[in-house]
Amino acid sequence: GRLLRPGPEPRGGGPGEGAPMGGKWREIEATAYCSCGSCCGWEFGLLLGPAPWYLALRPALPPVALRRRVRSHRSPAVLDKYWSSTSLKGKLYDGTTAAMTLPRQGRRGPLHGSSLRRPGQLLARCAAFPFVLLGRTGTIAADTRHYPFGTHMMVPGYGWGVVEDVGGGIQGPGRVDLYFRRHRQALRWGRQR
């Protein structure tokens, strides 16, 4: 989908014309992810006493593997989550982004077109959960050499997001990852251009 990256007003015509707030439209590949072990690269591990090892519990064969544990800022629990496939391999997984924030899925505000098309559903949500009146930006993982932390982006079909995370497979300005709360939602989005 098209993605908006705020920046200087585009000069002349072209693909950047018509983007809100002086931003620039770019064609980009957006992949979905969630906080599960297969999307984020963590696994459950059983602590093996004071030794620097843990027993990895995996959904693949073999179902267990002995792994080296890396010292962390907090003490591990007997059963804890450990990074399994990144440069942080063996460290405790705490669920935060690279910017040390908790990831969140974007939420459209009450004046978004999709909310106005279903006014009954909007009224029911507002009565039950008044906090949904406020929109919220989602978490985006991007290559920070091109989009530094704090860059706001608009992704059609997802909404507004802020770059707060990085990923090993995200290289260059043409790729981003969008955070979804549930794995099912991430699979439904998949990879879009």
Side-chain angles (χ1 to χ4, degrees):
R2 294 187 322 168
L3 172 124
L4 172 71
R5 176 179 167 252
E9 194 71 45
R11 295 188 184 154
E17 196 168 7
M21 296 194 315
K24 185 167 27 173
W25 289 108
R26 293 181 175 214
E27 191 71 31
I28 204 159
E29 183 177 80
T31 308
Y33 77 104
C34 68
S35 295
C36 77
S38 62
C39 286
C40 288
W42 60 263
E43 62 193 2
F44 281 106
L46 191 60
L47 185 64
L48 298 177
W53 301 94
Y54 69 93
L55 195 60
L57 309 172
R58 309 175 319 159
L61 290 175
V64 293
L66 189 62
R67 300 226 198 269
R68 180 172 283 283
R69 180 170 52 95
V70 178
R71 282 201 168 295
S72 185
H73 62 280
R74 70 173 175 91
S75 299
V78 174
L79 182 66
D80 217 331
K81 296 176 184 175
Y82 294 87
W83 286 101
S84 63
S85 62
T86 69
S87 60
L88 300 171
K89 192 173 187 170
K91 285 191 174 185
L92 289 171
Y93 173 81
D94 60 2
T96 60
T97 65
M100 299 308 291
T101 61
L102 289 174
R104 63 199 176 282
Q105 183 174 343
R107 181 173 58 224
R108 296 179 176 129
L111 299 179
H112 187 271
S114 66
S115 297
L116 296 175
R117 280 190 288 264
R118 292 181 237 126
Q121 187 179 19
L122 176 66
L123 291 172
R125 270 196 236 153
C126 292
F129 307 102
F131 63 87
V132 298
L133 282 174
L134 304 173
R136 179 175 70 186
T137 58
T139 297
I140 296 178
D143 186 340
T144 54
R145 293 174 298 175
H146 299 280
Y147 306 110
F149 288 140
T151 302
H152 289 259
M153 298 181 181
M154 164 53 106
V155 180
Y158 180 75
W160 283 97
V162 179
V163 175
E164 296 177 322
D165 209 355
V166 296
I170 305 170
Q171 301 292 320
R175 286 226 36 222
V176 296
D177 283 358
L178 308 173
Y179 178 80
F180 286 86
R181 216 174 57 196
R182 293 189 177 86
H183 190 71
R184 187 176 68 245
Q185 292 171 311
L187 288 176
R188 193 175 312 131
W189 176 277
R191 180 174 291 173
Q192 297 185 21
R193 205 148 178 53

